[in-house]
């Protein structure tokens, strides 16, 4: 299945949100980075949840024939990076995200907070 970069980024954000990812942000990297069109950044409160979010993203996209080209940091579970070509996913432990601050590093990229479902939690 072929998806447009924006559609892929939104699908990744939705999966992360469904798995209780926090502060999900889409960074439009078109014209800024040759590596990818979108960064999707999400936080989680513990390493188990970081890995669960990464697993869900990989599994749900594989069901649609979209496969991860490269994955780093999974075993440690503090910052999992997943490369899907048109979108690169960063799932952070909250304190790691604050430390590395990709939003500031890529401040030139238009950003958009993902407005997921609010289930009252």
């Amino acid at each position: 299945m072929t998806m447009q970069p924006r559609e892929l980024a939104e699908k990744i954000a939705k999966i992360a949100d469904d798995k209780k990812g926090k502060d999900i942000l889409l960074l439009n990297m078109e014209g800024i980075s040759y590596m990818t069109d979108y960064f999707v950044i999400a936080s989680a409160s513990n390493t188990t949840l970081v890995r669960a979010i990464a697993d869900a993203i990989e599994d749900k996209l594989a069901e649609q024939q979209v496969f991860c080209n490269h994955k780093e940091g999974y075993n440690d579970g503090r910052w999992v990076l997943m490369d899907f070509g048109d979108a690169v996913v960063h799932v952070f432990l909250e304190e790691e995200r604050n430390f590395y601050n990709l939003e500031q590093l890529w401040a030139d990229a238009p950003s958009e907070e993902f407005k997921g479902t609010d289930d009252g939690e």
Side-chain angles (χ1 to χ4, degrees), residues 36-64:
T36 190
D37 291 330
Y38 279 89
F39 277 174
V40 180
I41 304 172
S43 299
S45 56
N46 60 66
T47 57
T48 301
L49 189 52
V50 168
R51 286 190 289 268
I53 292 167
D55 287 343
I57 292 168
E58 192 167 19
D59 293 347
K60 297 274 188 199
L61 291 180
E63 290 172 4
Q64 297 177 33

Side-chain angles (χ1 to χ4, degrees), residues 21-119:
K22 298 178 185 174
D23 302 319
I24 301 167
L25 190 67
L26 281 66
L27 297 180
N28 185 337
M29 303 301 287
E30 294 173 307
I32 295 171
S33 171
Y34 69 90
M35 296 179 295
T36 190
D37 291 330
Y38 279 89
F39 277 174
V40 180
I41 304 172
S43 299
S45 56
N46 60 66
T47 57
T48 301
L49 189 52
V50 168
R51 286 190 289 268
I53 292 167
D55 287 343
I57 292 168
E58 192 167 19
D59 293 347
K60 297 274 188 199
L61 291 180
E63 290 172 4
Q64 297 177 33
Q65 303 301 304
V66 177
F67 300 101
C68 184
N69 300 319
H70 182 77
K71 179 168 62 173
E72 292 182 20
Y74 183 85
N75 289 336
D76 191 35
R78 299 182 65 77
W79 175 5
V80 177
L81 179 141
M82 304 169 74
D83 180 358
F84 288 94
D86 290 335
V88 172
V89 183
H90 302 270
V91 184
F92 283 103
L93 194 59
E94 290 169 341
E95 54 265 24
E96 296 292 311
R97 182 173 179 176
N98 292 334
F99 180 80
Y100 288 103
N101 199 4
L102 291 186
E103 296 91 332
Q104 180 63 35
L105 181 64
W106 295 100
D108 291 345
S111 65
E112 179 182 327
E113 186 177 339
F114 179 76
K115 303 289 186 200
T117 57
D118 184 9
D119 56 8

